Amino acid sequence: MPNDPGPSRRQVLGGVGAAALVSAFTPVAQAAEALTRPGLTVTGRATDLDDGWRFVLVNADDVTGPEDHYADPGFDDSAWQAVDLPHDWSIELPPVDQGATSSASGFFRGGLGWYRKTFTLPPALAGRRVSVEFDGVYSDAHVHLNGELLGRHPYAYTGWSFDLTGKLHTDSRTPNVLAVRATNRLPSSRWYSGSGIYRRVRLVVTDPVHLARHGTFVTTPGVTAGHATVRVTTDVVNDAGGAVAAEVRTTVTDPAGRVVARGSTTIPLPAGRTRQASTDLPVERPRLWSTERPALYRLRTDVVVAGRVLDTTTTDFGIRTFEFHPDHGFSLNGEPMKLRGVNLHASQGALGAVIDSAALERQMRLMQAMGVNALRTAHNPPAPELVTVCERLGILMMVEAFDCWRIGKVAYDYHLDFDEWSARDIAEMVHAAKNSPAVVLWSIGNEVPDASMAGGPEIAASLIAAVRAIDTTRPVIMGSDRYRSVPAPGSPQDLILRQLDGLGVNYNTAQSIDGLHTTYPDKFFFESESSSETSTRGVYQDPDLLNTGENHTPGRRSTSSYDNNLASWTFSGEYSLKKDRDRKFCQGQFLWAGQDYLGEPTPYDVFPVKTSFFGAVDSAGLPKDAFHLFRSQWTTRPMVHLVPMDWTDHRSGEPVAVWVYSTVDTVELVLNGKSLGVKKFDRKTTVDGRGYLETTEPAGDDKHDPSGSYTSPNGSSGKLHLTWTVPFEPGTLTAIATAGGREVARDRLVTAGPPHALTLTTEARSEGVMSFVTATVVDAHGTVVPGAEPVLRFAVRGPGRVAGVDNGRQELAQSYQQPTIPAFHGQAVAVIAATGRGTITVTATAPGLKTAKIVLPGTSPGQRNGPGARARETAGGLAAGPSADASYSGAPDTLPAAMLDGDPATGWSNYYVKPATATLGAVSRPRPGDWVSLTWPAPRRIGVATAQFVVSGALARPAAIDVACRTARGFEPVRDLRITWAGDLATLTFGSVVTGELRLTMTGPPRGFLRVSALTAR
């Protein structure tokens, strides 16, 4: 693909060229389906326009191509792909390395695409008001109807509407053609965005007298234990030729569907004008919306003229009160609570940016299982379906407008449109979510550079005013990294903060957030981004270090799950939890991030690392150890979790650091029936009387404190995990949590045997079409085999298809849109899309393993041409490996291949320096041992190897070298090994062997790292 120039510009100007582009720029050219029945059945006020579109990717690498040519209603689009919405064309393309900036998009391409939908309408629509509503297009959408440009909408994350009245054919015969041009000029975002019409579209049909778009606003200004006042304001539009008197009738039903309140008001409505009606409705003994019991009421609004109902809408809402108090923190319905939040970007792993309600609910239920009660929509307004999921599950929301203002962060982001569009877009954000009881915060931006510039306060003032012009019931805040010290009086940061109701801080130390609270006592503070610790599911390194280096060896790019891999701006999960826990005034925190997402592959910025490492769960939705750390602090039900999640891949006798997270204070560790001792958390109390569990030992995690450890205001310090050091022996390791001498929870790890079979599990699917099926490699006894990575193949029989596959591995170049993927640490996930009613049978196979099957229900309507419909199986996995390998490479420029380039100035090394963080010093600790190896395409006979070491500064010769060769039984030591040193050149001779790989394992020197500038074998 990278070397294919694709069709010329001349080719793309006609239908034949369009067909060529489908083949050149997409995984598979979908066979054309004749639109024999373009008639659109209009039922009710809003009709989905999600099915039956045609799509062509004009250019995957630029935004040049035909302009209005494809908008011509006479254009033949029969050779274009058939797609259903929502649609993301980027996720369908294979990831490719396109240069320094492409990692932000996860190495997926954007470009220019066109969509067309052809439909007829019946005569009954003549004289009615018709509009088309889009929930979101990425990005810069240009919309045409029957060849006429209706307008453009640049911002990808807000919806809009275009009036089609008088522009449509309504004779049931003449086709209408809706055409949309979308562009994604990269880099347009700091993370994967997706491309195309990735949210839903609908046709709205009303009478000339009707409710305005977003015209209903429900608030609950008076709530007591036995009574609530529901206030409804309604905007009514008169597009008729004369004035009318419009009656606005409102009906409230409770969560059980019973009518509990009615109201009516009549307003004069001049022709061509919009007027507002207001009604207060009393509700007795209200059921309050809360995170534990998210009770939803429904409002029905009817517009009646001369006794005839002309328009009807329904609005779900909740009755609740909340407060952000500068000293006492957040409370909901009078109950104090912390915001236990996560940040989530808008992508859905293997689905890309495609919005599906079942996928969103699965993601949010997973977050709830970790103890989450709040979501920050980082860093843009959410899809309507996400708001609905959160209000139904009881998840509070911080809804955010922008990632930048006038000063951009990448070349083609929103700063190009901010001045012209920001007032409209932030108003749309508020209108779209203003009725949701889940929404408690409006954010005007994230880490905007303008916040420390002279023009920033003026911009902030205009955005705040735009929000408050619509809604004064919720605080206006922003998330910022510009307040890590107290602002100087009169500085832009100071002037902005004085306008806001509160502030979300990103990655502040305990001392800095205390300083802000003292200086601005009338403002409330919380952490809009916390921790940012990075990890890879199932990978563990240096448990005795608070911060570790990274392995840059191709194929091994990962980070430790011992809560100890931190970038310069970040904190461990434990530090972030303690800092928030101890401050009553701190409203809570939003963990960065709830789930790994495409793009931003910190700490690696190299192909094929295409996802972030920040998530508590991986991109496939499989929990990491961080999930259980936060679960132990954010939930109360008895639980216990063992770290590492692997009691198989260790050497006999190897000391293994075993950590335990638990909500229970007493835990016993048992290995093969033998107790390794009971350990306990101490019970402690914050200065305001809240209890918590923590050890009492130096944590060493805050260089600003005189003790070197984070110290609570109550004077104590400690850790949020219990620790054992266990010499490995195969068998069963069990953590048993007890309360009052009685077992209340346990976690167990079992040494796995060889891979034997696959198993399939899934969760129940709600609204939406996507189901998530987890495949696990197990041994003959059903134990997960953590080191198993066979290629899994998923097949579907019945009304479904494989919409995508993922295994959570951050370093993986293959496309998600195919039916095969290697397992990673024994697991992978297939996303199955239902295409209709009936029974779906999913089968998973792998060479040499017992097949697994699972049966899922279909759904109607399904999605025929959504994610995975154009998938083609491609050769997946990592980029072709080098002929040299290493267990650990300390830097991007000391990879194993450098041992073979003939340049003595280059070489492999395990040397690393991890920069200091805000609370920890720099780290550069010699490793006790590593290995390097040579591989050949075919086995060869060898008996001598040479390794040229570099000795200088922090580099030293190894204390010992062992040599092994690969056999059918694995690596085995060579015979008769002799090592001769000539300066820093080691010559290793041994009994000759025939092998495809030779490995040198080096015991590190007492002080110093290793560097090999040349490695040969003969």
Side-chain angles (χ1 to χ4, degrees), residues 593-673:
Q595 184 169 7
D596 286 348
Y597 51 90
L598 283 165
E600 256 186 342
T602 303
Y604 303 99
D605 191 10
V606 61
F607 187 83
V609 185
K610 68 179 187 289
T611 75
S612 76
F613 291 71
F614 299 117
V617 302
D618 66 24
S619 59
L622 301 172
K624 307 182 196 177
D625 294 284
F627 175 94
H628 300 283
L629 165 62
F630 280 82
R631 179 180 164 218
S632 73
Q633 303 302 305
W634 283 355
T635 67
T636 57
R637 179 175 295 180
M639 59 79 60
V640 63
H641 173 75
L642 283 164
V643 182
M645 295 189 288
D646 179 352
W647 200 246
T648 300
D649 300 319
H650 306 278
R651 301 184 309 275
S652 181
E654 173 189 351
V656 180
V658 176
W659 291 11
V660 168
Y661 299 132
S662 182
T663 57
V664 182
D665 66 353
T666 303
V667 178
E668 181 181 17
L669 195 64
V670 179
L671 177 59
N672 294 329

Side-chain angles (χ1 to χ4, degrees), residues 171-254:
D171 58 6
S172 296
R173 297 186 307 277
T174 308
N176 295 283
V177 178
L178 191 64
V180 181
R181 177 184 187 267
T183 61
N184 183 6
R185 184 190 296 260
L186 299 179
S188 63
S189 174
R190 296 185 297 122
W191 57 90
Y192 177 86
S193 63
S195 303
I197 309 179
Y198 74 107
R199 294 183 181 176
R200 306 192 74 172
V201 184
R202 67 195 62 84
L203 197 72
V204 176
V205 178
T206 69
D207 279 308
V209 177
H210 59 277
L211 291 158
R213 181 170 178 266
H214 300 317
T216 299
F217 189 17
V218 186
T219 58
T220 54
V223 180
T224 64
H227 178 84
T229 298
V230 175
R231 179 165 296 161
V232 182
T233 58
T234 309
D235 293 334
V236 186
V237 181
N238 183 7
D239 286 327
V244 298
E247 181 189 5
V248 180
R249 298 175 183 169
T250 49
T251 305
V252 174
T253 53
D254 69 8

Side-chain angles (χ1 to χ4, degrees), residues 360-535:
L360 292 170
E361 181 166 336
R362 182 238 187 186
Q363 183 184 51
M364 296 314 302
R365 286 193 181 277
L366 186 59
M367 295 298 104
Q368 278 190 315
M370 188 170 68
V372 166
N373 65 9
L375 168 67
R376 179 191 185 200
T377 64
H379 299 292
N380 44 256
E385 291 83 357
L386 179 56
V387 178
T388 297
V389 165
C390 287
E391 66 190 19
R392 289 179 179 174
L393 295 183
I395 297 174
L396 300 161
M397 298 187 74
M398 167 183 168
V399 173
E400 192 152 69
F402 310 117
D403 190 47
C404 66
W405 295 346
R406 285 196 183 121
I407 307 301
K409 296 177 181 177
V410 294
Y412 303 111
D413 65 12
Y414 187 68
H415 78 279
L416 299 173
D417 299 296
F418 180 83
D419 280 340
E420 181 180 354
W421 287 88
S422 60
R424 283 174 281 183
D425 284 327
I426 201 167
E428 174 69 17
M429 174 191 81
V430 176
H431 278 305
K434 65 188 177 185
N435 291 313
S436 176
V439 178
V440 293
L441 290 168
W442 300 120
S443 170
I444 61 174
N446 168 69
E447 294 188 352
V448 292
D450 313 66
S452 54
M453 298 181 178
E458 180 183 358
I459 298 174
S462 66
L463 295 176
I464 293 168
V467 173
R468 289 178 177 160
I470 302 167
D471 179 21
T472 59
T473 69
R474 299 172 175 93
V476 182
I477 54 91
M478 72 178 185
S480 184
D481 59 348
R482 307 279 164 146
Y483 293 85
R484 292 178 186 167
S485 60
V486 175
S491 65
Q493 293 98 315
D494 173 67
L495 297 176
I496 290 175
L497 181 50
R498 293 189 184 281
Q499 299 179 66
L500 296 168
D501 297 305
L503 179 70
V505 296
N506 293 357
Y507 314 112
N508 282 46
T509 64
Q511 295 82 4
S512 65
I513 197 169
D514 286 341
L516 289 169
H517 175 58
T518 299
T519 307
Y520 299 92
D522 59 331
K523 305 297 181 182
F524 65 84
F525 294 92
F526 64 97
E527 291 187 274
S528 41
E529 292 181 26
S530 70
S531 184
S532 254
E533 175 263 345
T534 58
S535 62

Side-chain angles (χ1 to χ4, degrees), residues 883-885 899-900 932-936 945 996-999 1015-1017:
S883 56
D885 199 2
M899 297 185 294
L900 310 182
V932 295
S933 70
L934 290 173
T935 61
W936 299 274
E997 183 174 2
L998 189 73
R999 175 178 290 186
L1015 181 64
T1016 64

Side-chain angles (χ1 to χ4, degrees), residues 11-302:
Q11 284 178 300
V12 305
L13 295 179
V16 175
L21 274 168
V22 171
S23 177
F25 285 117
T26 59
V28 166
Q30 175 80 12
E33 298 177 15
L35 295 177
T36 56
R37 295 185 179 180
L40 185 68
T41 301
V42 177
T43 56
R45 192 176 197 271
T47 301
D48 284 342
L49 293 182
D50 293 338
D51 299 335
W53 290 75
R54 297 292 186 185
F55 168 73
V56 66
L57 180 55
V58 176
N59 194 329
D61 301 306
D62 202 350
V63 294
T64 57
E67 295 289 338
D68 294 347
H69 183 74
Y70 287 169
D72 184 344
F75 174 79
D76 180 8
D77 58 18
S78 61
W80 290 13
Q81 291 179 7
V83 300
D84 293 337
L85 305 182
H87 176 247
D88 173 7
W89 80 66
S90 289
I91 203 69
E92 296 180 345
L93 302 174
V96 292
D97 189 359
Q98 290 188 304
T101 61
S102 58
S103 66
S105 68
F107 301 101
F108 289 91
R109 291 179 291 170
L112 167 64
W114 275 87
Y115 295 84
R116 287 166 57 97
K117 181 175 176 64
T118 301
F119 56 95
T120 60
L121 291 173
L125 265 63
R128 305 199 71 190
R129 306 297 300 184
V130 184
S131 61
V132 61
E133 291 186 352
F134 291 80
D135 288 340
V137 175
Y138 204 103
S139 61
D140 195 20
H142 289 67
V143 183
H144 305 254
L145 178 69
N146 298 329
E148 176 188 348
L149 177 65
L150 299 175
R152 67 182 284 254
H153 187 87
Y155 197 32
Y157 298 105
T158 51
W160 76 95
S161 173
F162 285 134
D163 186 12
L164 308 184
T165 306
K167 300 179 173 68
L168 291 160
H169 305 298
T170 56
D171 58 6
S172 296
R173 297 186 307 277
T174 308
N176 295 283
V177 178
L178 191 64
V180 181
R181 177 184 187 267
T183 61
N184 183 6
R185 184 190 296 260
L186 299 179
S188 63
S189 174
R190 296 185 297 122
W191 57 90
Y192 177 86
S193 63
S195 303
I197 309 179
Y198 74 107
R199 294 183 181 176
R200 306 192 74 172
V201 184
R202 67 195 62 84
L203 197 72
V204 176
V205 178
T206 69
D207 279 308
V209 177
H210 59 277
L211 291 158
R213 181 170 178 266
H214 300 317
T216 299
F217 189 17
V218 186
T219 58
T220 54
V223 180
T224 64
H227 178 84
T229 298
V230 175
R231 179 165 296 161
V232 182
T233 58
T234 309
D235 293 334
V236 186
V237 181
N238 183 7
D239 286 327
V244 298
E247 181 189 5
V248 180
R249 298 175 183 169
T250 49
T251 305
V252 174
T253 53
D254 69 8
R258 297 183 294 258
V259 174
V260 294
R262 299 181 190 273
S264 175
T265 185
T266 300
I267 56 173
L269 202 57
R273 304 297 295 272
T274 300
R275 289 288 185 265
Q276 187 175 90
S278 182
T279 306
D280 282 358
L281 302 170
V283 175
E284 303 303 323
R285 297 181 297 280
R287 295 176 56 185
L288 301 185
W289 186 94
S290 69
T291 56
E292 297 296 327
R293 291 173 293 278
L296 288 173
Y297 285 74
R298 175 160 291 183
L299 173 76
R300 173 179 169 133
T301 304
D302 296 308

Side-chain angles (χ1 to χ4, degrees), residues 873-922:
E873 186 174 338
T874 60
L878 303 169
S883 56
D885 199 2
S887 59
Y888 185 91
S889 301
D893 59 353
T894 58
L895 303 182
M899 297 185 294
L900 310 182
D901 63 5
D903 184 351
T906 64
W908 164 86
S909 179
N910 61 6
Y911 176 80
Y912 73 89
V913 175
K914 193 64 183 288
T917 72
T919 58
L920 301 174

Side-chain angles (χ1 to χ4, degrees), residues 290-323:
S290 69
T291 56
E292 297 296 327
R293 291 173 293 278
L296 288 173
Y297 285 74
R298 175 160 291 183
L299 173 76
R300 173 179 169 133
T301 304
D302 296 308
V303 176
V304 183
V305 174
R308 178 168 168 251
V309 177
L310 299 184
D311 198 8
T312 299
T313 62
T314 59
T315 305
D316 288 342
F317 70 98
I319 299 173
R320 50 93 173 109
T321 63
F322 66 89
E323 181 184 19

